[in-house]
Amino acid sequence: MSWIALIIAGFCEVLGVNGMQRIATGKKISGFIFLIGGFVASLNLLSFAMTTIPLGVAYAVWTGMGTIGGVVVGMIFYGDPADRKRIFFLSLIVVAVVGLRVVAS
């Protein structure tokens, strides 16, 4: 159950980051809703997940998901470049997060 909460926390972090971008592009009301709602949910779920998942693993997975999600949202919705180098380095983060999950079993 903790791993499910941690994964959902990662997605909620992406919502919060998306809220920051929405605020920056002038969509203030919806941006603040995404920002506050996303980060409040994310931090609560992360806190719950850390009751059974070690701090270092939980935080690394959470930030990895946020990083990957933020970059992918930027590529899809905000016109950020999607070149091979960026995708290669994102795949390294994915490998690291999966590796932490495997060794934390």
Side-chain angles (χ1 to χ4, degrees):
M1 186 67 176
S2 293
W3 280 100
I4 293 170
L6 183 58
I7 291 168
I8 295 170
F11 286 120
C12 290
E13 182 188 7
V14 174
L15 287 177
V17 171
N18 189 27
M20 284 191 262
Q21 181 64 28
R22 293 174 76 81
I23 292 168
T25 58
K27 299 175 183 169
K28 299 215 183 283
I29 293 175
S30 66
F32 279 112
I33 291 169
F34 276 69
L35 175 74
I36 293 168
F39 282 130
V40 166
S42 181
L43 291 172
N44 279 311
L45 289 164
L46 175 63
S47 176
F48 171 76
M50 288 191 319
T51 58
T52 58
I53 300 171
L55 167 84
V57 173
Y59 187 70
V61 170
W62 181 72
T63 57
M65 288 186 65
T67 302
I68 293 165
V71 172
V72 170
V73 166
M75 286 182 204
I76 293 172
F77 297 108
Y78 298 106
D80 292 353
D83 56 36
R84 284 188 211 135
K85 292 177 188 174
R86 292 183 81 162
I87 294 169
F88 170 74
F89 287 112
L90 283 175
S91 67
L92 291 178
I93 295 170
V94 171
V95 168
V97 167
V98 169
L100 283 171
R101 170 62 178 108
V102 169
V103 299
S105 295

